[in-house]
């Protein structure tokens, strides 16, 4: 291990009464919950961009973070140093996975050819570190939104040569993801949307977006990339309207273009709230459609209308998220990638550790509470009972799709509605609270 963060030792589990701020109180990787080790349920991931390349920049000010690599001026030397730093951080935090965009790991050069050469060089370093540590790649992706060429979109750009460039970039990113045994590959269309309908051919843009995804599927078959493809929904920011608005929209889009068997969803908490949904809502919609794939774990500030990407500390959200994930049978290829960044004022190295510890402990506790709720069948029993009228009689006929409007009318003419029961929302919310209080 490089010794870049020598002031911080490996973070250990010390139990809930620990007074050591640099320790886990709930995340005990080998502890078995609902038949599986915590680390295998949670499959935590580190986001390379927020953790290694983010600097605390916002629209009103430049970088604030104080980092050991700040003085390195050679771009490639800096990129290599960051790889070493990333792996040391993951080792010290016990984070078993990471996620990256192509442009996070290696700087873009003047030509695509040289950019790709740089990527290969850094991938060599990453590969060696993965071998040394056993840390794995949860997913890779390509950044087709930062460079000015993508100002009007990538797959949805009105300019065909931008589409071609994005395809070339995705092709390379898939190749390096495959080389690093990535378990998945994410498509987040930062600029796949529009600012104004006055200058936009929506039908053509949607068709082109679907074509890009189909081409990626074809290429995956060609090179034997077996990782899971994910779409990450987000309603807005940077574009005013993004085509991958929310889980429901993405599922409809994928079905329209016959792509639904090839993709799952990567649900991000802050994107859910930007879309006017809860995190649990997005997970539920993905789950009931058999498309829950992976999670970008973070939280937004509900008083602000943008993606603040804070480390998740909201225990309600974590419990309900783990509830959906457990009911889905747990992660298969996915995991909890902390697409989370420190506040601009949290500029010390220690803050990185505090951020990850808070997120990991929150989800560890969330997992335990959710497992207990499921074990006790708290909500399942209530829900099953609430819908029990579909188990027999007229309800069973409806569920079995055996009757039409005429039979339903005949039934209604004979039976007044007399079986409505209370939804008991307050009682259920109190029960949830009591499980969280412990
Ligand atoms: C941005 C997205 C992005 C994706 C990966 O809002 O969350 O970080 O996760 O491109
Ligand atoms: Ni994300
Ligand atoms: Ni985001």
């Amino acid at each position: 291990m490089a010794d870049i963060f020598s002031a911080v030792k490996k973070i250990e589990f010390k139990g809930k009464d620990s007074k050591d701020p640099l320790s886990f109180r709930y995340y005990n990787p080998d502890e078995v919950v609902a038949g599986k080790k915590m680390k295998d349920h949670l499959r935590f991931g580190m986001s390379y961009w927020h953790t290694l390349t983010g600097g605390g920049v916002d629209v009103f000010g430049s970088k604030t973070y104080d980092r050991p690599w700040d003085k390195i001026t050679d771009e490639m030397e800096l990129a290599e140093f960051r790889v070493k730093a990333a792996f040391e951080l993951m080792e010290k935090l016990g984070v078993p996975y990471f996620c990256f965009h192509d442009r996070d790991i290696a700087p873009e050069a003047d030509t695509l050819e040289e950019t790709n050469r740089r990527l290969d060089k850094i991938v060599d370093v990453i590969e060696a570190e993965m071998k040394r540590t056993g840390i794995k790649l949860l997913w890779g992706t390509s950044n087709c939104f930062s460079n000015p060429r993508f100002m009007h979109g990538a797959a949805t750009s009105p300019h065909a040569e931008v589409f071609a460039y994005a395809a070339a970039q995705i092709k390379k990113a898939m190749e390096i993801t495959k080389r690093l045994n990535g378990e998945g590959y994410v498509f987040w269309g930062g600029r796949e949307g529009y600012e104004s309908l006055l200058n936009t051919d929506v039908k053509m843009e949607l068709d082109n977006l679907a074509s890009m995804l189909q081409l990626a599927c074809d290429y995956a078959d060609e090179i034997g990339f077996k990782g899971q493809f994910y779409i990450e929904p987000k309603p807005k920011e940077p574009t005013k309207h993004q085509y991958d608005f929310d889980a429901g929209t993405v599922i409809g889009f994928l079905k329209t273009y016959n792509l639904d068997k090839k993709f799952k969803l990567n649900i991000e908490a802050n994107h859910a709230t930007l879309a006017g949904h809860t995190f649990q809502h997005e997970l539920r919609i993905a789950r009931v459609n058999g498309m829950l794939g992976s999670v970008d774990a973070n939280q937004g500030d509900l008083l602000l209308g943008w993606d603040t990407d804070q480390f998740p500390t909201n225990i309600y959200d974590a419990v309900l998220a783990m509830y959906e994930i457990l009911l889905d049978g747990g992660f298969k290829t996915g995991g909890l990638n902390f697409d989370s960044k420190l506040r601009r004022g949290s500029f010390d190295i220690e803050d990185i550790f505090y951020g990850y510890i808070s997120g990991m402990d929150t989800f560890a506790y969330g997992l335990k509470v959710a497992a207990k709720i499921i074990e006790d069948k708290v909500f399942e029993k209530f829900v099953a009972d609430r819908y029990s009228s579909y188990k027999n009689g007229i309800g069973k006929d409806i569920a079995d799709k055996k009757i039409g409007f005429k039979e339903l009318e005949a039934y209604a003419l004979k039976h007044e509605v007399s079986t409505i029961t209370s939804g008991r929302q307050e009682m259920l919310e109190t029960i949830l609270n009591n499980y969280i209080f412990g």
Side-chain angles (χ1 to χ4, degrees):
M1 199 192 313
D3 200 17
I4 298 169
F5 307 103
S6 47
V8 181
K9 306 264 150 338
K10 185 164 179 5
I11 310 298
E12 307 285 354
F13 168 71
K14 295 197 177 164
K16 74 174 174 33
D17 298 323
S18 168
K19 297 273 178 295
D20 178 0
L22 288 168
S23 67
F24 294 117
R25 293 175 181 81
Y26 298 99
Y27 181 55
N28 185 10
D30 291 317
E31 186 180 327
V32 174
V33 177
K36 225 158 74 177
K37 288 184 179 172
M38 270 193 172
K39 62 176 179 199
D40 299 327
H41 275 292
L42 298 165
R43 295 164 58 90
F44 288 127
M46 170 179 282
S47 64
Y48 207 95
W49 52 105
H50 287 316
T51 315
L52 281 307
T53 61
V57 176
D58 72 14
V59 277
F60 294 101
S62 52
K63 134 177 215 315
T64 56
Y65 298 169
D66 186 11
R67 296 291 178 258
W69 49 83
D70 284 342
K71 296 216 164 50
I72 305 177
T73 49
D74 180 83
E75 283 189 306
M76 284 301 281
E77 198 186 311
L78 174 62
E80 272 193 44
F81 189 89
R82 280 188 171 130
V83 174
K84 301 281 165 59
F87 280 83
E88 185 183 329
L89 280 174
M90 289 186 276
E91 282 181 280
K92 287 195 163 158
L93 283 162
V95 169
Y97 289 95
F98 67 109
C99 302
F100 68 81
H101 302 83
D102 45 7
R103 302 301 176 248
D104 305 334
I105 57 170
E108 205 164 349
D110 291 339
T111 63
L112 183 60
E113 211 180 337
E114 178 55 22
T115 301
N116 287 347
R117 239 196 310 272
R118 288 180 173 190
L119 269 173
D120 289 335
K121 242 184 124 194
I122 297 300
V123 168
D124 289 343
V125 186
I126 293 181
E127 199 172 37
E129 285 292 282
M130 287 173 74
K131 218 172 187 177
R132 181 182 68 75
T133 59
I135 289 168
K136 296 191 240 166
L137 177 59
L138 190 64
W139 49 260
T141 186
S142 57
N143 175 337
C144 293
F145 44 87
S146 293
N147 191 290
R149 75 175 67 85
F150 300 121
M151 68 174 79
H152 300 301
T156 64
S157 170
H159 306 291
E161 44 184 40
V162 177
F163 184 101
Y165 200 100
Q169 205 179 310
I170 293 168
K171 172 179 177 288
K172 181 69 183 174
M174 281 171 59
E175 287 162 9
I176 59 179
T177 301
K178 175 177 186 276
R179 186 176 152 201
L180 296 174
N181 289 318
E183 297 187 23
Y185 187 92
V186 162
F187 291 85
W188 171 63
R191 296 192 195 271
E192 311 294 27
Y194 63 80
E195 295 297 323
S196 169
L197 287 174
L198 297 178
N199 62 10
T200 304
D201 183 340
V202 170
K203 175 75 168 76
M204 170 159 257
E205 292 201 358
L206 287 169
D207 285 351
N208 283 350
L209 181 56
S211 299
M212 184 69 88
L213 299 176
Q214 183 60 56
L215 291 172
C217 294
D218 296 346
Y219 193 62
D221 289 346
E222 204 175 316
I223 61 173
F225 174 61
K226 300 265 184 299
Q228 176 65 51
F229 276 152
Y230 308 107
I231 306 268
E232 183 177 320
K234 185 176 183 181
K236 55 189 168 192
E237 196 209 20
T239 59
K240 182 179 80 173
H241 180 100
Q242 284 175 217
Y243 293 126
D244 297 338
F245 193 92
D246 62 1
T249 310
V250 170
I251 292 166
F253 167 84
L254 291 172
K255 289 195 189 226
T256 302
Y257 289 96
N258 264 322
L259 288 161
D260 54 306
K261 300 282 173 294
K262 308 266 188 175
F263 289 82
K264 285 194 159 53
L265 302 183
N266 181 38
I267 300 295
E268 178 165 323
N270 203 161
H271 297 183
T273 51
L274 286 179
H277 302 307
T278 60
F279 185 21
Q280 187 190 10
H281 167 95
E282 288 292 84
L283 292 166
R284 175 71 61 93
I285 295 296
R287 174 167 77 80
V288 299
N289 281 283
M291 290 172 93
L292 175 49
S294 198
V295 166
D296 270 9
N298 62 16
Q299 75 189 26
D301 186 322
L302 296 183
L303 300 183
L304 302 174
W306 63 92
D307 206 11
T308 58
D309 287 341
Q310 288 162 242
F311 277 94
T313 53
N314 184 318
I315 189 62
Y316 280 89
D317 281 347
V319 167
L320 296 172
M322 290 316 301
Y323 176 73
E324 297 297 330
I325 292 161
L326 289 177
L327 286 182
D328 199 46
F331 288 124
K332 281 113 207 154
T333 52
L336 292 167
N337 164 49
F338 287 106
D339 193 350
S340 309
K341 65 180 176 205
L342 297 169
R343 297 308 83 196
R344 186 170 155 76
S346 307
F347 56 85
D348 284 337
I349 288 299
E350 286 89 326
D351 293 311
I352 304 179
F353 290 88
Y354 291 133
Y356 275 89
I357 290 169
S358 72
M360 291 164 79
D361 263 349
T362 302
F363 270 91
Y365 193 71
L367 164 67
K368 288 180 138 184
V369 175
K372 191 88 187 71
I373 290 172
I374 291 172
E375 186 189 317
D376 295 351
K377 298 204 172 359
V378 190
F379 303 119
E380 285 92 309
K381 272 194 209 144
F382 186 87
V383 172
D385 198 45
R386 193 168 183 229
Y387 293 84
S388 59
S389 64
Y390 288 95
K391 285 268 177 288
N392 39 49
I394 187 83
K396 189 162 186 334
D397 288 343
I398 296 171
D400 292 345
K401 299 180 178 46
K402 274 204 189 132
I403 49 172
F405 267 9
K406 274 192 243 147
E407 293 83 0
L408 288 165
E409 183 192 46
Y411 181 89
L413 287 169
K414 265 198 259 150
H415 300 81
E416 282 301 325
V417 172
S418 64
T419 53
I420 296 183
T421 55
S422 165
R424 293 270 186 271
Q425 185 174 330
E426 296 75 6
M427 179 194 84
L428 296 168
E429 285 169 347
T430 306
I431 294 174
L432 173 62
N433 267 0
N434 289 336
Y435 270 86
I436 292 174
F437 297 158

